[in-house]
Structures are given as C-alpha cells and as structure tokens.
C-alpha cells in the first residue's frame, strides 16, 4: 500500500510517499480502508521531533518509533480483529489511529465511532483530534455552565472553529472569538456573538472579563490572560507554540498549574484524548446541525509535506484535510 513515511526527524520535506506492507488488525482493532485524514499541529511536532520532550515520551529518542504519520482518520472498515464488537466490515467510521496517511490503517475500536451520516469522509476526518480537544476543554476542564461568557483565543483555527460552535451548543450565553481580521467573518458565521481582531484590539486588556477563557496555541503571558478572567473564572491553555525546542509550550502550562492553588481563578491545561463516547457525541452534534467542520484546503496524499508546511504558515482557516 502507499503511505507517507519518514525515517528521521526533520522538516516536512523528510516525509515521502512509499510502498509499504499493509498492516494487520490485532485484538480489539479494525483495519480501515482510509478515505481521508487530516493535518494537525501534532503531525508537525512528531515529524520534526520538537519539542524534544516528546521524544522522551515514547515517540523515539533518535529516530521516530512509528514511521507512518497521521492520526485523524475516516474510512470504511475492511476487516476486524479478535474481540471487536462495535464494528463490522463496510461500516463507515471516523476517529484516530497511528498512521492515517496511508491507504490502510489499524485503529482500536475504542478510538472510533460511526461517521456522521450527513458528513463526507473529508468533513469527518478533520473532527477527531481538534473536535475532542475543544469539547474536553470546554466541558471537562473548563466546566462550562449554561449562561456563562466564553472567550476563545485562536477562534479561526482548527480547535477554535469547533470551540466556538461547541460553546454555544453547551449553553454559553455569550461567546467572543479572537482571530485575525481575515477570519472574522468565518468566526462570526460559526455563532460567535462578538469577534475581536487581535491586530487592532487587545482582548486581554481587562476591559471585559470572562467566566471561561480558552487560549489555543497562544503565547500570551499568564498575567495578561488572568486580567481578562473573572475573579472565579477558569483559564484553559490548549497547546502552545512558545518555550523553545526543549519544552515547547509546556513551561507556561506548568507555571499556570503552580499558580492556580494560590488564586481564586482556576488555571488549567488540556491533555486531550479521543474516545468512542466523545466521538459519538460529536457525530450527533454534526448530524443535528449544531456543529459543522470547517475545511480550508484539501491535499492529495502525495502532497502531505506541502499540507504540513501550510499548517505551519499560520494561514489556515479551520482544518486541513488529506484525501487518500
């Protein structure tokens, strides 16, 4: 089968299309004939091996432990392994796996759900990682309650476009999205009550305070973020791109966790996962029309290096899909 592989860490150019052996599903796994995949920041981090902390987390110190990249997946079940009870061949599914930039991939049944009936494979493929991150940031870590006000910083990106829609679906009274001016109309169309162009206005100047702030892939100092947070509000840091090659954005997150016990504000970080139950909930929201995946561009499998480069350019509006 064809797959995007790399044998060494480096820039997106180290990724190349090759013929490799088709995987076999193990216990509790299904073999998926991949129709579509997606690019997220994790792909870049695992391709480059930066920050170096991720290498120590089991992904390979000197070379990648897994040579096929890609995590988001949507496709048809081709075969099932022992002990699989949720799916059978020909089922249309979506979720996460290791190595979705390939014609076939194996995934655990617990990390999959049935594809939303009103969504195509590309739409479904861009949901799992970013959609689950947005859902868990709001519901589980942020403890969003009906009637609260929410500030989403990074509202025009992959996680942000889901977060704006989910905040409204979960009962937020007022959602403010922060993005660049070129994404303002998009964020407004997703249901944001107010949109702030960060190039013209500082959303953390203290003029307005929010019950819940999601800072997505940001680098603003904690002092500024807390200035926009209500006295009993919650800040959730969703990723981060500052901090250098060793620890990435984890430094700011650790400072937030250390400071939180000494203030009335809850300062938290997100370590998201993808589960069958959350994927099923997201599918139900898509089918009900409460959430719509936003796709900026779709690339063919052979152009994954270009797709990763476009993601890193910071110009993407919503998600980037890969057609397999």
């Amino acid at each position: 089968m064809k797959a995007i592989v790399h044998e060494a860490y480096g820039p997106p150019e180290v990724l190349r299309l090759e013929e490799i052996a088709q995987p076999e599903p193990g216990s509790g796994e299904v073999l998926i004939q991949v129709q579509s995949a997606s690019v997220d920041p994790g792909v870049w981090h695992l391709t480059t091996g930066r920050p170096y902390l991720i290498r120590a987390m089991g992904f390979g110190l000197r070379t990648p432990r897994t040579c096929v990249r890609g995590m988001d997946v949507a496709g048809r079940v081709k075969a099932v392994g022992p002990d699989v009870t949720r799916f059978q061949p020909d089922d249309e599914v979506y979720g996460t796996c290791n190595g979705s930039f390939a014609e076939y991939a194996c995934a655990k049944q617990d990390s999959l759900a049935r594809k939303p009936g009103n969504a195509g494979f590309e739409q479904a493929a861009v949901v799992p990682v970013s959609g689950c991150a947005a859902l868990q940031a709001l519901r589980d870590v942020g403890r969003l309650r009906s009637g609260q006000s929410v500030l989403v910083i990074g509202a025009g990106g992959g996680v942000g476009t889901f977060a704006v829609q989910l905040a409204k679906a979960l009962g937020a009274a007022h959602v403010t999205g922060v993005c660049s001016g070129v994404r303002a109309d998009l964020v407004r169309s997703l249901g944001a009550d107010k949109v702030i162009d960060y190039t013209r206005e500082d959303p953390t100047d203290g003029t307005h305070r929010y019950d819940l702030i999601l800072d997505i892939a940001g680098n603003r100092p904690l002092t500024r973020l807390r200035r926009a947070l209500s006295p009993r509000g919650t800040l959730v840091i969703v990723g981060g791109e500052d901090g250098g090659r060793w620890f990435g954005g984890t430094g700011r997150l650790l400072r937030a966790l250390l400071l939180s016990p000494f203030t009335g504000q809850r300062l938290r970080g997100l370590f998201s996962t993808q589960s069958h139950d959350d994927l099923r909930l997201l599918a139900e929201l898509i089918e009900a029309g409460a959430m719509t995946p936003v796709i900026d561009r779709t690339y063919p499998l052979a152009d994954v290096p270009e797709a990763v480069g476009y993601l890193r350019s910071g110009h993407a509006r919503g998600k980037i899909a890969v057609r397999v």
Side-chain angles (χ1 to χ4, degrees), residues 20-305:
I20 64 172
Q22 180 177 304
E24 296 289 336
S27 178
E29 292 183 336
V30 303
L31 176 66
I32 301 172
Q33 185 176 17
V34 180
Q35 300 296 313
S36 189
S38 175
V39 177
D40 68 271
V43 171
W44 183 86
H45 289 299
L46 291 175
T47 299
T48 61
R50 294 174 56 182
Y52 296 141
L53 178 64
I54 67 172
R55 304 191 189 195
M57 295 171 63
F59 293 100
L61 289 176
R62 294 183 177 274
T63 58
R65 179 165 293 180
T66 302
C67 68
V68 183
R69 290 273 63 87
M71 191 169 179
D72 286 319
V73 66
R76 294 185 178 89
V77 174
K78 189 70 174 178
V80 299
D83 303 318
V84 171
T85 57
R86 288 197 172 114
F87 307 106
Q88 59 186 7
D90 293 328
D91 283 346
E92 295 184 346
V93 298
Y94 85 121
T96 56
C97 66
N98 288 322
S100 61
F101 294 158
E103 293 179 314
Y104 293 90
C106 288
K108 296 179 180 178
Q109 65 171 346
D110 293 339
S111 65
L112 298 171
R114 295 187 184 278
K115 181 179 73 66
N118 60 342
F121 286 109
E122 290 176 17
Q123 283 186 304
V126 302
V127 174
V129 170
S130 296
C132 285
L135 175 65
Q136 292 162 20
L138 292 164
R139 181 195 63 190
D140 302 336
V141 183
R143 300 178 187 174
L144 175 60
R145 299 190 302 275
S146 179
Q148 289 188 318
S149 59
V150 179
L151 178 69
V152 180
I153 302 176
V159 176
T161 51
F162 289 117
V164 169
Q165 299 177 80
L166 286 169
K168 299 298 288 188
L170 294 173
H174 193 278
V175 177
T176 299
V178 180
C179 59
S180 62
V182 296
R183 296 182 176 92
D185 288 342
L186 167 64
V187 173
R188 196 173 290 111
S189 73
L190 297 176
D193 299 287
K194 180 180 179 181
V195 178
I196 296 176
D197 179 352
Y198 68 83
T199 66
R200 299 189 175 192
E201 182 181 349
D202 181 5
T204 61
D205 63 4
T207 302
H208 299 283
R209 291 202 164 201
Y210 304 88
D211 299 308
L212 172 60
I213 297 177
L214 265 59
D215 185 40
I216 303 168
N219 55 16
R220 288 176 174 83
L222 291 177
T223 52
R224 290 175 59 187
L225 293 169
R226 292 183 59 208
R227 189 168 54 187
L229 197 61
S230 65
R232 295 290 175 181
T234 298
L235 165 68
V236 182
I237 296 174
V238 185
E241 297 302 321
D242 64 335
R245 65 180 60 188
W246 287 96
F247 298 103
T250 58
R252 190 175 58 137
L253 170 57
L254 291 175
R255 290 193 296 274
L257 295 177
L258 290 172
L259 178 62
S260 188
F262 303 100
T263 176
Q265 298 168 326
R266 296 180 65 247
L267 312 177
R268 299 289 187 268
L270 175 72
F271 299 94
S272 62
T273 59
Q274 300 79 40
S275 69
H276 171 77
D277 288 343
D278 282 352
L279 289 166
R280 185 174 61 182
L281 173 59
L282 293 173
E284 291 172 354
L285 290 169
I286 293 171
E287 290 176 338
M291 189 177 79
T292 301
V294 176
I295 298 177
D296 182 316
R297 296 184 183 183
T298 299
Y299 291 82
L301 182 62
D303 290 346
V304 162

